[in-house]
Amino acid sequence: MILLIPLAMILATASCYVALYKDSEQSFRRSLITASILVFFFIAVSTELLGLLNAVNRFGIALSWLLFDAALAATWIRIKKAHRVTHRSLGQRWLSGIRRFYQSVGPLTVFMLGVLSAITLCVAVVAIPNNQDSLSYHLSRLGYWAQQGNVAHYASHIERSISFSPFSEYVHLHTFLLSGSVHYFQLLQWGCLAGILLLVSMIVRLFSTSAAALRIALCFAATLPIVVLESMTTQNDLVVAFFLVATAFFVFDYLQNKQQTSLYLIALCCAAGMFTKGTFLFYALPFGGYLIIRMIGQPAMRKHLLGFVAAGVVLTLALNTPFWYRTYVLFGSPVGTISNGNQNDLQRPADYVSSVSKHVFLHLGFVSPGNRYNDFLHTQLKNLHAAMGIPLDRPGLGMPFKMNKLNFNEDFAHNFFGIWLILAGIPLLWCARLQRAANWYAALTLLSFLTFCFFISYQTYGSRLHIAFFLLAAPVVGIAYAAVLPAFLSRLLPVVLWLAALPFALLSASHPLLSTRWFFEKIFPTVNNALHLNMRIDAANLNLKQESVLHATPGRLFWGDHWAGLQGLFERANALNPQKIGFAFTEASFDFAYQFLLRKPGREFAHVMVGNPSRVLENPVFQPDLIISEKNMGNGFDYNGQSYRLDWQSDDRWLYVSVN
């Protein structure tokens, strides 16, 4: 059944190609991006509709895809007949376009991107998803949705699972119910990165015909450490970045080519982007404002303005309102309350300068002998704040600031080379003689970052929230450096970026293709001591020494060094053969990991004794056979008229069983 998804992509791409783009530049890439947006929108809408019918199950999802594929097939047959296109001629056109793209990029760049993509694809398919946020809330939702047959909110200790936008998880829900496997989850982010690279190449083409610009832009985007690491996870930052970069492309595509199709694709991207992550709004706002101003100023485009705005508002509200309403009912806010601490409390201009500077300095840190480089930068940042008369860590402006060194975790890795290339590239824009449209694109990209910094405070994991900015900046970096660098350096730069990215692809802290245990036990200590890097590689650095995903067990991937102490919990729980299991968790508990290791046909899970507003959704007659708790509840307690006693305890986990 999982093949229904690629079948839909092929049919949609073929139909878009023939009906919309066969005579356009970059026709195959445009068709593939448009088809992806349409398929994504179908997933979002169909999931909500199936939820209303309580039909979120394998049969309901499969039937919806069969009907969708049948409609796409019928559409393709009509279009093919109307345009007198054969499968052979279509295939030849696509192959011709691929060959032209290969020639413009060059074999070396194709090789580098191919190696990087192959490594990350292997990890994405082989590894069990084990990102901390994914285990807590991204993937934990799926089991409860499938269990209840809809996507309504449920009682949960983990507020993020019922208040954070769910689009990425809707895609995972479809792949899981169609295949019964978790090994397709991480392909979403990997596929979105592939789509982003196509979009980057298309944006470069809008402003430049330089092959060097294309090579640099693609390698810059594909080798960002946080991007490489996230492409192997089930987070959603690359998914929202796909919709953001697509929005930016279609804005400038419409302004240059006046194709109305681009306007309505922007509306679809806005609806889906907001349904993926709220940060979409901050990055997209400057591009949307620029487009509307340009449309108002030109009579030929003004006639499309009302329809475009109406489509954007209607689609965004239609797609997002059901989820927002469900969240509002529980929390009194359509976006919940758990992210309130991430909002900036700006009281004067200096607070905004503080926010921007900390967001930038997040990426500037690196390893150095005696940590002198980081100490120097940290001192300059403190001096800046002292000159403005505010503390570096003023309450209301985010988490306490910390300079990064070198991190291989998909939550904390930063983009050292990327930020320096952007900062050094800003003055290059003045002498690169770019097209006017390219300068506007560069200005809007910078403004999108400044808008984000206005609303969102500094966070130690903020690097992944900056992914959209770095990917939006990739075409500008490519065009600017290609315009000023000699030919040799323009070819060398992508190679340097590729070499710097390979360790992140191979040695991810959470799911490495090569064993990080070997590296950090045999190789790194010598380097660390010889250069006085002062990097901690002991147990305090969570799960730094990992086995290869080719050999590690799911339990080891989930809990790392803590797995040895937890095996007894799962062995005991499964030995009791419960039909109903209750969870008493914290906000950071690995809900999905428990479900994965305890899942059996007919077994039911539910959160119990919930302390947040979702407690009103607890089933008052649910009496679990056992309760797994990450909170110490003593030797026993009562729940829903049933008594429970402590049966097992280890490593801050407690197992309580019902007393008959």
Side-chain angles (χ1 to χ4, degrees):
M1 287 295 181
I2 191 66
L3 294 178
L4 292 171
I5 298 178
L7 176 60
M9 279 297 303
I10 293 170
L11 291 170
T13 301
S15 298
C16 291
Y17 180 88
V18 176
L20 301 174
Y21 300 121
K22 69 177 187 298
D23 297 321
S24 304
E25 275 194 281
Q26 308 161 322
S27 52
F28 176 67
R29 280 172 277 172
R30 287 174 179 266
S31 303
L32 191 57
I33 294 299
T34 301
S36 300
I37 294 169
L38 294 175
V39 169
F40 279 153
F41 199 74
F42 162 76
I43 291 174
V45 172
S46 65
T47 305
E48 287 289 337
L49 292 177
L50 288 170
L52 293 175
L53 302 173
N54 288 323
V56 176
N57 50 51
R58 180 177 171 82
F59 175 79
I61 295 291
L63 179 60
S64 69
W65 279 98
L66 285 169
L67 294 174
F68 184 52
D69 282 357
L72 287 173
T75 302
W76 164 241
I77 290 171
R78 288 197 300 271
I79 290 175
K80 183 180 69 167
K81 186 178 295 185
H83 291 266
R84 298 179 180 179
V85 174
T86 65
H87 294 110
R88 180 182 179 85
S89 63
L90 181 65
Q92 289 175 340
R93 287 189 178 190
W94 286 3
L95 288 174
S96 177
I98 292 171
R99 279 195 293 267
R100 287 195 299 272
F101 181 70
Y102 173 83
Q103 292 168 355
S104 62
V105 173
L108 178 59
T109 302
V110 170
F111 170 78
M112 292 190 295
L113 295 179
V115 168
L116 206 56
S117 298
I119 294 171
T120 53
L121 176 61
C122 178
V123 175
V125 172
V126 172
I128 299 292
N130 68 336
N131 169 262
Q132 294 187 46
D133 282 351
S134 297
L135 298 181
S136 292
Y137 75 93
H138 283 301
L139 296 179
S140 64
R141 302 168 162 185
L142 310 186
Y144 302 108
W145 288 339
Q147 185 174 279
Q148 64 193 18
N150 56 57
V151 289
H153 287 345
Y154 53 89
S156 176
H157 294 276
I158 304 170
E159 291 186 41
R160 291 171 295 174
S161 66
I162 49 175
S163 62
F164 281 14
S165 298
F167 171 70
S168 292
E169 290 75 37
Y170 282 7
V171 180
H172 300 323
L173 180 65
H174 281 239
T175 62
F176 177 69
L177 290 176
L178 288 175
S179 68
S181 172
V182 302
H183 288 282
Y184 295 97
F185 289 162
Q186 293 170 152
L187 289 180
L188 173 60
Q189 288 247 108
W190 187 91
C192 281
L193 176 56
I196 290 167
L197 294 180
L198 294 181
L199 286 162
V200 166
S201 72
M202 294 158 68
I203 294 172
V204 170
R205 182 60 179 158
L206 287 176
F207 307 135
S208 172
T209 59
S210 166
L214 181 59
R215 290 193 296 268
I216 295 172
L218 287 175
C219 287
F220 177 87
T223 59
L224 293 164
I226 191 67
V227 167
V228 172
L229 291 167
E230 272 224 12
S231 70
M232 303 179 284
T233 73
T234 53
Q235 292 170 279
N236 58 11
D237 299 287
L238 283 173
V239 181
V240 75
F242 171 82
F243 291 118
L244 279 163
V245 179
T247 297
F249 167 74
F250 287 121
V251 164
F252 281 86
D253 181 58
Y254 172 74
L255 293 175
Q256 285 196 13
N257 301 313
K258 309 299 187 293
Q259 292 184 356
Q260 260 188 286
T261 303
S262 294
L263 278 182
Y264 296 104
L265 287 169
I266 293 171
L268 287 173
C269 286
C270 289
M274 286 297 296
F275 204 40
T276 305
K277 200 177 185 94
T279 51
F280 175 90
L281 177 63
F282 309 131
Y283 285 112
L285 194 60
F287 290 92
Y290 174 72
L291 174 62
I292 290 174
I293 292 172
R294 288 289 305 274
M295 292 179 73
I296 292 173
Q298 297 189 28
M301 293 189 286
R302 197 180 305 152
K303 60 184 179 182
H304 300 150
L305 181 60
L306 182 60
F308 163 62
V309 173
V313 172
V314 169
L315 288 173
T316 300
L317 290 178
L319 191 59
N320 288 271
T321 296
F323 180 81
W324 287 342
Y325 176 74
R326 295 193 292 268
T327 307
Y328 176 80
V329 169
L330 278 183
F331 298 103
S333 166
V335 294
T337 59
I338 199 165
S339 292
N340 289 349
N342 296 334
Q343 299 172 8
N344 265 329
D345 176 25
L346 302 181
Q347 300 176 0
R348 50 181 173 166
D351 291 339
Y352 179 56
V353 176
S354 171
S355 177
V356 173
S357 65
K358 287 191 288 188
H359 279 291
V360 171
F361 271 66
L362 170 66
H363 296 277
L364 291 176
F366 204 63
V367 294
S368 63
N371 203 38
R372 287 191 291 272
Y373 168 79
N374 273 8
D375 288 343
F376 171 77
L377 287 181
H378 200 183
T379 299
Q380 304 313 307
L381 186 61
K382 288 191 288 188
N383 289 342
L384 171 64
H385 282 73
M388 295 189 297
I390 63 172
L392 176 60
D393 296 321
R394 184 182 80 74
L397 294 181
M399 300 176 178
F401 181 79
K402 176 184 177 182
M403 290 292 297
N404 278 324
K405 290 183 180 179
L406 184 63
N407 201 306
F408 287 78
N409 184 280
E410 63 274 2
D411 285 325
F412 304 106
H414 58 294
N415 304 315
F416 174 75
F417 291 113
I419 193 65
W420 277 115
L421 284 172
I422 291 173
L423 292 175
I426 291 175
L428 293 182
L429 295 175
W430 296 101
C431 56
R433 298 182 180 180
L434 306 184
Q435 294 182 19
R436 183 180 180 185
N439 283 321
W440 270 111
Y441 178 88
L444 292 171
T445 296
L446 180 59
L447 184 58
S448 72
F449 179 71
L450 296 176
T451 304
F452 173 87
C453 295
F454 180 84
F455 289 102
I456 303 299
S457 62
Y458 163 81
Q459 298 149 56
T460 55
Y461 49 80
S463 177
R464 59 187 176 85
L465 303 180
H466 298 159
I467 283 177
F469 165 66
F470 280 91
L471 292 173
L472 285 169
V476 181
V477 170
I479 296 170
Y481 280 92
V484 299
L485 290 181
F488 171 74
L489 290 180
S490 69
R491 292 184 179 277
L492 179 62
L493 179 58
V495 176
V496 172
L497 293 175
W498 178 71
L499 290 173
L502 280 178
F504 294 93
L506 294 168
L507 300 172
S508 163
S510 57
H511 40 242
L513 186 61
L514 302 181
S515 171
T516 53
R517 179 174 296 276
W518 167 82
F519 177 77
F520 284 108
E521 286 183 351
K522 304 296 183 183
I523 304 297
F524 188 74
T526 302
V527 178
N528 195 24
N529 293 331
L531 297 181
H532 305 288
L533 300 180
N534 301 328
M535 293 186 67
R536 296 188 65 179
I537 56 173
D538 54 19
N541 199 334
L542 182 62
N543 297 336
L544 188 65
K545 301 173 184 178
Q546 287 275 27
E547 299 175 33
S548 166
V549 295
L550 300 176
H551 308 294
T553 63
R556 170 69 188 176
L557 283 172
F558 291 146
W559 277 289
D561 295 333
H562 298 288
W563 173 237
L566 287 175
Q567 283 181 285
L569 168 67
F570 292 97
E571 291 171 358
R572 177 59 180 161
N574 281 314
L576 293 170
N577 196 28
Q579 291 303 301
K580 297 179 180 179
I581 297 178
F583 293 140
F585 283 159
T586 67
E587 178 65 38
S589 296
F590 290 178
D591 192 347
F592 176 76
Y594 285 97
Q595 294 181 48
F596 181 89
L597 294 172
L598 293 170
R599 186 182 296 122
K600 286 180 65 175
R603 186 170 282 178
E604 185 179 351
F605 304 106
H607 285 213
V608 298
M609 296 174 287
V610 174
N612 62 57
S614 71
R615 61 182 172 270
V616 299
L617 299 177
E618 282 191 60
N619 185 349
V621 298
F622 179 74
Q623 294 181 326
D625 301 309
L626 60 83
I627 294 175
I628 296 175
S629 176
E630 293 193 351
K631 308 169 185 177
N632 187 351
M633 298 183 182
N635 292 321
F637 55 87
D638 292 337
Y639 176 72
N640 283 352
Q642 179 69 43
S643 296
Y644 294 86
R645 62 172 175 81
L646 181 64
D647 182 81
W648 185 94
Q649 174 187 355
S650 179
D651 203 24
D652 293 330
R653 272 82 173 177
W654 293 263
L655 176 64
Y656 295 90
V657 298
S658 63
V659 179
N660 296 326

